[in-house]
């Protein structure tokens, strides 16, 4: 419902995609070596599909809170994913 918040979220969702290659510092390059991140990948696909669906819904009471929760989950992926990669690399190097 807040236009400025929506614009900021839109810009951040695009900007974070441009920043991801710069922040990619893990030792192994393929996702096949990170089983937890494979699960997180499908979590991200589901979040994108749900956000696309919720964006087509009218701005009404149940859809507003659902969209806000999905947005928080979308951005949490970009915080959780590098942490799990670091954790997995530390477990493999130990």
């Amino acid at each position: 419902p807040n236009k400025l918040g929506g614009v900021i979220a839109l810009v951040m969702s695009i900007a974070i995609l441009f920043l991801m290659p710069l922040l990619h510092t893990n030792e192994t390059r393929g996702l096949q070596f990170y089983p937890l991140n494979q699960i997180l990948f499908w979590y991200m696909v589901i979040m994108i599909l749900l956000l696309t669906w919720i964006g087509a819904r009218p701005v009404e009471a149940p859809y507003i809170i659902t969209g806000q929760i999905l947005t928080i989950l979308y951005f949490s992926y970009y915080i959780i994913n590098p942490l799990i990669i670091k954790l997995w690399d530390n477990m493999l190097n130990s």
Side-chain angles (χ1 to χ4, degrees), residues 6-75:
V7 170
I8 291 172
L10 177 68
V11 169
M12 289 301 296
S13 67
I14 301 299
I16 203 163
L17 295 175
F18 285 112
L19 291 175
M20 284 304 289
L22 301 173
L23 299 175
H24 185 74
T25 60
N26 55 337
E27 295 172 9
T28 308
R29 296 293 176 190
L31 190 61
Q32 67 267 23
F33 300 110
Y34 298 102
L36 292 176
N37 291 77
Q38 291 175 358
I39 295 169
L40 277 177
F41 169 78
W42 290 110
Y43 162 83
M44 183 63 168
V45 169
I46 292 169
M47 284 301 112
I48 291 171
L49 290 174
L50 287 174
L51 280 169
T52 302
W53 174 77
I54 206 75
R57 303 287 109 208
V59 182
E60 294 176 353
Y63 302 123
I64 294 172
I65 191 70
T66 305
Q68 291 171 345
I69 292 170
L70 289 173
T71 302
I72 291 169
L73 292 174
Y74 172 83
F75 284 110

